[in-house]
């Protein structure tokens, strides 16, 4: 199965471009920007070829190139093919943007080299066929990203954020390394496919699952060690796009890749649901209070990653993979177009008064959204859908209800009302279609969600109640925004409920030290 080595060409060609860039690290280096862009395009072509091979020959794992279980091997399946294509595509777009945005910078060549090296490390991660390569690529992606975050080392904010990121990264790497050691000791092999097909519930499996979950939540900037992600805006815009649209997804990919292991530890899955759900609600509320566009986007990333973590905790791994794809494409566009979007909005004619929905409008909006979801589910069929997936759809429809409330306000024009109802229906249909597509694409690769037990039912009901209450509070915010308590709440939320400040205090000023 030598054809399985084709996916290795994608990271190798980027590493070659990075090597050339490091040899020409200065301002406007000859050929470096274009060479990096062409390398990313070649990586994308390799990803397309790998997907074609998957269709023609089916999934498989290449033999190991190395000794004693350490070396390069490729696992080609639906998960790795999707991630390979996604990372290659975003890398190509970001490197194209980098060629223009970083033109004339003193260390433009070195910056381009570290961008290409980071992309190569992520590609080696998502295609890893053995545990040693998985851990090594995880560490390499973190180290190369740190060099990008410190591109302007004289900025105090950049140094502080990079040090906090480094602490979270080292803890994550230690956790992943511990899990790898346990899995190799328990199964006698480094091959990921062999490990996942021989998972047995037990103390070793539970311990490995705890460490994998810890590595994932630290990498995804989950509460309470989330603050570094909101402070890395001192880095150039391409770094933000690469981080928020690519590297930050590594934690979710880790949980998806080792889904069979995680399913053998239901207690760990329950913890992921609780932590992910809380962080998603917390970060989404804080996001609404941020005045700066990029800071708001950073909080949005924390919330999105938390929702993905919650999906993994509910065993909805195909939907979590779909979430990674959608979030990556959206967030890359959001960061790369943030400047032009701000200028465009500033140039618009200011709108008139906004229609404020009453409590009756809000209740009608929620009833309408749930009715649309129920009707769509009846047409497409709830049969075959897991309880977890149906509940997740209800949570998503709560967000649609928030938009519907604006359209159903008494003072809203009829055209707005019609559009919001149409959009609500489109969102419901899209959810069912995308869910079906994700499940079909990953069938045989990712395990289906098991029937929920008492603990899972309790978590599902808690999630529905929590997200529903927050959605109602957001929809009715204009009705109580003038209350004195609302102003105080807004101040506390804009400061992230001071969780990041507490984290800084616990570090005892460590993140403020001068760089070594």
């Amino acid at each position: 199965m030598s054809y399985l080595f084709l996916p290795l060409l994608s990271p190798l060609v980027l590493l070659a471009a990075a090597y050339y860039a490091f040899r020409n690290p200065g301002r406007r280096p000859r050929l470096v920007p274009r060479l990096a862009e062409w390398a990313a395009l070649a990586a994308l072509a390799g990803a397309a070829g790998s997907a074609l091979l998957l269709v023609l020959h089916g999934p498989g794992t290449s033999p190991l190139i190395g000794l004693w279980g350490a070396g390069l091997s490729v696992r080609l399946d639906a998960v790795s093919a999707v991630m390979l294509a996604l990372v290659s595509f975003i890398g190509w777009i970001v490197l194209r943007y980098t060629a223009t945005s970083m033109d004339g910078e003193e260390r433009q060549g070195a910056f381009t080299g570290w961008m290409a090296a980071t992309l190569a490390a992520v590609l080696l991660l998502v295609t890893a066929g053995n545990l040693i390569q998985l851990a090594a690529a995880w560490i390499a992606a973190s180290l190369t990203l740190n060099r990008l975050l410190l591109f302007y080392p004289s900025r105090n904010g950049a140094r502080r954020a990079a040090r906090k990121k480094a602490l979270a990264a080292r803890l994550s790497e230690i956790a992943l390394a511990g899990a790898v050691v346990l899995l190799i000791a328990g199964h006698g092999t480094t091959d990921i496919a062999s490990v996942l097909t021989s998972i047995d519930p037990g103390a070793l499996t539970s311990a490995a699952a705890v460490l994998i979950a810890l590595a994932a939540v630290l990498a995804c900037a989950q509460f309470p060690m989330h603050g570094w992600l909101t402070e890395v805006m001192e880095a150039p815009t391409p770094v933000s796009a690469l981080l928020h649209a690519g590297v930050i997804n590594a934690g979710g990919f880790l949980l998806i890749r080792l889904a069979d292991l995680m399913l053998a530890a239901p207690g760990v899955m329950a913890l992921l649901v609780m932590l992910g759900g809380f962080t998603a609600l917390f970060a989404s509320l804080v996001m609404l209070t941020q005045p700066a566009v990029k800071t708001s986007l950073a909080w949005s990333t924390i919330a999105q990653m938390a929702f993905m973590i919650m999906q993994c905790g509910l065993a909805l791994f195909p939907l979590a993979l779909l979430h990674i794809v959608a979030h990556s494409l959206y967030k890359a566009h959001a960061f790369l177009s943030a400047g032009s979007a701000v200028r465009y909005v500033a140039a618009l004619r200011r709108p008139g008064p906004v229609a404020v929905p009453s409590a009756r409008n809000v209740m009608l909006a929620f009833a309408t959204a749930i009715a649309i979801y129920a009707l769509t589910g009846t047409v497409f069929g709830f049969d075959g859908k897991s309880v977890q997936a149906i509940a997740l759809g209800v949570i998503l429809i709560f967000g649609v209800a928030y938009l519907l409330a604006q359209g159903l306000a008494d003072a809203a024009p009829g055209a707005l009302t019609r559009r919001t109802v149409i959009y609500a229906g489109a969102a419901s249909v899209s959810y069912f279609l995308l869910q079906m597509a994700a499940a079909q694409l990953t069938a045989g690769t990712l395990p289906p969600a098991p029937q929920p037990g008492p603990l899972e039912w309790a978590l599902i009901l808690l999630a529905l109640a929590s997200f529903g209450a927050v959605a109602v509070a957001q929809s009715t915010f204009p009705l109580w925004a003038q209350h004195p308590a609302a102003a105080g709440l807004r101040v506390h939320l804009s400061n992230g409920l001071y969780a990041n400040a507490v984290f800084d205090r616990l570090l005892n000023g460590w993140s403020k030290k001068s760089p070594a």
Side-chain angles (χ1 to χ4, degrees):
M1 300 199 301
S2 58
Y3 68 87
L4 286 174
F5 286 109
L6 176 62
L8 279 179
L9 295 179
S10 294
L12 292 179
V13 72
L14 283 166
L15 285 175
Y19 174 76
Y20 184 80
F22 292 141
R23 295 289 299 272
N24 300 271
R27 180 185 289 113
R28 292 196 173 96
R30 182 183 178 187
L31 292 180
V32 166
R34 291 300 166 223
L35 184 62
E37 180 186 334
W38 295 337
L41 187 58
L44 181 58
S50 300
L52 180 60
L53 289 176
L54 177 63
V55 173
L56 295 177
H57 299 283
T61 301
S62 68
L64 182 71
I65 303 177
L67 297 173
W68 305 297
L72 294 177
S73 64
V74 172
R75 185 179 184 190
L76 183 59
D77 58 14
V79 174
S80 59
V82 168
M83 293 299 298
L84 185 63
L86 176 67
V87 175
S88 300
F89 176 72
I90 289 177
W92 175 50
I93 297 298
V94 172
L95 284 172
R96 277 181 60 88
Y97 183 91
T98 299
T100 301
S101 68
M102 300 303 291
D103 184 49
E105 287 281 352
E106 183 178 351
R107 295 185 295 119
Q108 180 183 355
F111 179 86
T112 305
W114 287 117
M115 290 285 288
T118 303
L119 282 168
V122 176
L123 290 176
L124 286 171
L125 171 68
V126 300
T127 57
N130 68 87
L131 294 169
I132 302 298
Q133 179 183 333
L134 181 77
W138 181 279
I139 295 171
S142 177
L143 294 177
T144 53
L145 177 64
N146 196 68
R147 298 299 297 264
L148 292 170
L149 295 178
L150 284 172
F151 183 70
Y152 298 122
S154 61
R155 298 182 178 180
N156 291 330
R159 294 203 306 270
R160 181 176 63 250
R163 285 187 174 275
K164 294 173 72 172
K165 164 66 172 67
L167 175 61
R170 298 299 85 78
L171 293 174
S172 177
E173 291 157 10
I174 292 171
L176 179 58
V180 167
V181 169
L182 289 177
L183 291 174
I184 294 175
H187 297 272
T189 179
T190 64
D191 183 67
I192 293 176
S194 299
V195 169
L196 294 181
T197 54
S198 58
I199 291 293
D200 289 319
L204 186 145
T205 297
S206 297
V210 168
L211 292 174
I212 291 296
L214 179 61
V217 298
L218 287 169
C220 287
Q222 297 299 281
F223 184 91
M225 298 186 68
H226 60 278
W228 64 268
L229 189 60
T230 66
E231 298 179 2
V232 295
M233 301 308 162
E234 297 288 345
T237 295
V239 180
S240 297
L242 181 63
L243 169 61
H244 290 263
V247 181
I248 196 70
N249 294 309
F253 167 77
L254 182 65
L255 294 173
I256 293 169
R257 171 52 78 211
L258 302 177
D260 295 279
L261 168 68
M262 302 308 298
L263 281 178
V268 179
M269 299 280 282
L271 290 175
L272 290 177
V273 174
M274 289 186 284
L275 178 61
F278 171 78
T279 305
L281 293 172
F282 161 71
S284 61
L285 289 173
V286 175
M287 176 193 70
L288 298 176
T289 65
Q290 300 304 304
V293 172
K294 286 189 175 182
T295 305
S296 179
L297 287 174
W299 280 103
S300 167
T301 296
I302 295 173
Q304 293 290 338
M305 291 299 99
F307 200 73
M308 179 189 62
I309 292 290
M310 188 178 76
Q311 287 173 318
C312 291
L314 291 172
L316 298 173
F317 296 106
L319 285 178
L321 180 63
L322 176 64
H323 193 130
I324 287 179
V325 174
H327 175 261
S328 296
L329 296 175
Y330 150 67
K331 199 54 65 76
H333 176 269
F335 270 101
L336 296 182
S337 63
S340 58
V342 170
R343 290 191 295 271
Y344 174 75
V345 172
L348 288 176
R349 181 175 63 85
R350 292 295 181 266
V354 177
V356 176
S358 64
R360 181 181 61 84
N361 299 143
V362 171
M363 293 301 103
L364 178 61
F366 274 81
T368 302
I370 292 174
I372 291 173
Y373 179 70
L375 177 62
T376 307
T378 302
V379 172
F380 284 92
F382 284 113
D383 294 339
K385 302 291 189 299
S386 66
V387 174
Q388 296 93 319
I390 294 173
L392 184 71
V394 174
I395 291 174
L396 294 175
I397 212 67
F398 287 157
V400 174
Y402 172 76
L403 298 177
L404 272 175
Q406 317 304 312
L408 294 178
D410 295 331
L416 177 61
T417 302
R418 288 191 296 273
R419 283 201 300 270
T420 53
V421 173
I422 292 173
Y423 292 158
S428 239
V429 171
S430 298
Y431 174 73
F432 277 93
L433 291 179
L434 290 172
Q435 181 194 26
M436 292 165 58
Q440 184 173 0
L441 178 65
T442 58
T445 300
L446 294 177
Q451 286 296 321
L455 176 60
E456 288 76 17
W457 270 111
L459 291 173
I460 290 171
L461 294 175
L462 177 62
L464 289 173
S466 301
F467 280 89
V470 170
V472 170
Q474 288 179 331
S475 300
T476 58
F477 178 75
L479 302 178
W480 51 272
Q482 304 306 316
H483 193 281
L489 178 61
R490 184 179 183 86
V491 171
H492 299 318
L493 285 175
S494 66
N495 286 282
L497 301 183
Y498 311 102
N500 194 34
V502 172
F503 180 57
D504 281 335
R505 188 70 174 264
L506 291 175
L507 289 178
N508 196 26
W510 175 81
S511 63
K512 300 179 181 179
K513 294 178 182 178
S514 58

